[in-house]
Amino acid sequence: MIVRKALIRQGRRIATAPAKSWTRPLATEVDVDSIENSVDNSLRETKSIESQIQKETVKLVPQIDARTHSTLNLLNDGTAERYAQHRHTRMLRSHPPNTKNLTDPLPHLLEKLTKPLGSTLAPHYQPHTVLTQPPRPSDITLELLLASQAHLGHKTSHWNPMNSRYIFGIRQGIHIISLDVTAAHLRRACRVISGVAERGGVILFVGTRPGQDRCVVKAAQMAGGCHLFERWTPGSITNGHQILGACRTKVVDEYDREIQGFEEELQDRPVLKPDLVVCLNPLENWVMLHECGMHSIPTIGIIDTDANPTWVTYPIPANDDSLRCVQVIAGVLGRAGEEGQASRREKASEGNVTYTPATLTTNVRTRGARTGGSGSDIHGTQS
């Protein structure tokens, strides 16, 4: 009975479904004429577009002549060429050039005539001039130190209390170094270097941070001293006969000319020590400064707000992290040494020796070494 009822129920549904599906399309009316009209309209539009495309012709962009700045083959009668020649002739009449410039092409002539026109570039900062043309001690100004960022110190939490006399104030948690104090200490260091160079002393420039090698070498060349831009070897001063014993030593006169014949006497003499040491980064070279203090060698150093100013003899409070500031200070000190060397040579040309020569066992009068000073104390010098 259950199966029979299910078949009767499903059979009725199947019998009624085809009648509905057939009656639906018959009840819908289709407008065939409107479809044909729309197809015809689309075909007409397509044909009109094709006809317009076929009527269009390809137009190439004309080339421009580099000499006359006109289109090539634009006019067959040569109008562009005649206009360029007319403009060239009119320009020659208004600005008659020299005979040498008559053969110059038009672009070069235009460049010469238009070069003085327009705006003039104002002087701008060129970083390489600090190395190639360092400032002199007379060029020290607060503007120069401010532009080189010499006034910027470290955070207030990293300061050394012994630098309180060099600090101007605090700005956004950073100590500001007084540039008046920096300029005064830098001028004092310049006088020290100039005096040592004038008396024939050996000056050592030390800067071991990355980027300081060029300014260190340049300053040493101007001051006639030595330079070190690598790691300092501990014991180079306290144990110099073991570390620097193989280095060559020579004897020079007041004109820095080498004197021959003192090789045997120099072998028994102690190793040379610098008369003045200029350190651009004292924090990394505290061992060298300690050795200089043990041997009473005066030192000059750039002291930042986190360094101890008692490490050096002549501190220069400034920003040791700014490469431009270090280059400015090294260039000024090198110029001071250059002025001292020039003063020493000038006095030597007048017959005045500005330093006391070292005593050697060999009589230099038989060598023909010196011409200035007294004969009793002129026995050569070491360098």
Side-chain angles (χ1 to χ4, degrees):
M1 292 297 293
I2 297 173
V3 176
R4 187 187 307 168
K5 291 181 180 179
L7 290 175
I8 293 171
R9 192 164 47 249
Q10 295 297 332
R12 292 176 182 175
R13 186 178 300 174
I14 294 172
T16 57
K20 294 181 180 178
S21 61
W22 283 102
T23 56
R24 188 175 300 154
L26 292 176
T28 305
E29 294 182 358
V30 179
D31 192 358
V32 181
D33 297 336
S34 61
I35 296 176
E36 293 178 355
N37 294 333
S38 62
V39 172
D40 294 339
N41 294 332
S42 62
L43 290 175
R44 292 193 197 95
E45 292 178 359
T46 305
K47 291 180 180 179
S48 62
I49 294 173
E50 292 178 354
S51 62
Q52 291 180 2
I53 293 174
Q54 292 178 0
K55 291 180 182 179
E56 293 291 336
T57 58
V58 180
K59 296 181 180 180
L60 299 177
V61 178
Q63 297 181 358
I64 305 300
D65 189 4
R67 183 178 64 85
T68 61
H69 299 282
S70 60
T71 57
L72 295 176
N73 298 327
L74 182 62
L75 297 176
N76 297 327
D77 54 356
T79 304
E81 287 77 5
R82 289 198 302 271
Y83 173 72
Q85 185 66 25
H86 169 69
R87 187 176 60 177
H88 179 63
T89 306
R90 185 177 60 182
M91 191 173 299
L92 291 177
R93 291 177 181 175
S94 60
H95 302 280
N98 298 329
T99 307
K100 181 178 65 174
N101 297 331
L102 287 175
T103 58
D104 292 345
L106 183 60
H108 295 282
L109 182 60
L110 291 174
E111 182 180 359
K112 293 179 182 178
L113 295 177
T114 58
K115 187 175 182 179
L117 303 177
S119 59
T120 304
L121 294 177
H124 56 282
Y125 169 61
Q126 298 178 353
H128 65 276
T129 56
V130 181
L131 294 173
T132 57
Q133 299 177 359
R136 298 182 179 276
S138 58
D139 300 333
I140 299 175
T141 58
L142 300 184
E143 291 79 5
L144 177 62
L145 297 176
L146 182 65
S148 61
Q149 302 176 354
H151 62 289
L152 299 178
H154 286 270
K155 291 183 179 180
T156 56
S157 59
H158 296 167
W159 79 308
N160 192 317
M162 302 188 69
N163 290 317
S164 59
R165 58 182 180 272
Y166 305 141
I167 295 176
F168 177 78
I170 299 175
R171 179 74 172 178
Q172 296 180 356
I174 297 177
H175 278 127
I176 304 300
I177 302 173
S178 178
L179 294 182
D180 294 331
V181 179
T182 302
H185 284 68
L186 183 57
R187 293 190 183 99
R188 181 184 66 173
C190 290
R191 291 193 297 269
V192 172
I193 289 185
S194 178
V196 173
E198 185 178 359
R199 289 167 176 80
V202 179
I203 304 175
L204 175 63
F205 289 85
V206 180
T208 57
R209 286 186 180 178
Q212 295 181 355
D213 49 354
R214 297 181 62 186
C215 61
V216 168
V217 173
K218 182 65 175 180
Q221 290 177 352
M222 291 188 297
C226 306
H227 61 269
L228 174 67
F229 51 83
E230 295 180 353
R231 178 180 176 271
W232 171 265
T233 304
S236 297
I237 295 178
T238 56
N239 194 19
H241 62 282
Q242 293 290 338
I243 298 176
L244 303 177
C247 295
R248 179 177 177 269
T249 307
K250 63 181 179 180
V251 179
V252 297
D253 58 3
E254 61 273 13
Y255 299 102
D256 294 338
R257 295 176 301 189
E258 185 178 359
I259 305 174
Q260 302 294 336
F262 292 94
E263 288 77 8
E264 296 180 358
E265 290 82 355
L266 293 176
Q267 292 179 358
D268 299 333
R269 294 183 64 86
V271 180
L272 286 178
K273 299 177 182 179
D275 298 307
L276 178 65
V277 176
V278 180
C279 184
L280 302 181
N281 52 334
L283 291 178
E284 289 81 0
N285 297 300
W286 62 272
V287 176
M288 178 196 66
L289 298 177
H290 179 68
E291 294 182 11
C292 292
M294 293 177 61
H295 290 264
S296 301
I297 299 175
T299 55
I300 298 174
I302 301 177
I303 300 299
D304 209 337
T305 57
D306 61 341
N308 190 349
T310 60
W311 286 0
V312 296
T313 310
Y314 303 98
I316 303 176
N319 184 11
D320 61 349
D321 297 319
S322 175
L323 183 59
R324 183 179 177 184
C325 176
V326 173
Q327 290 176 351
V328 169
I329 294 177
V332 170
L333 298 179
R335 288 289 191 184
E338 185 180 21
E339 294 177 358
Q341 295 286 347
S343 177
R344 179 178 62 84
R345 296 190 185 94
E346 182 180 359
K347 293 181 180 180
S349 62
E350 299 174 356
N352 183 16
V353 180
T354 59
Y355 56 89
T356 302
T359 303
L360 295 176
T361 57
T362 305
N363 189 357
V364 298
R365 283 182 293 183
T366 60
R367 307 286 182 179
R370 293 188 178 274
T371 58
S374 60
S376 59
D377 60 351
I378 299 178
H379 298 286
T381 180
Q382 282 185 320
S383 67

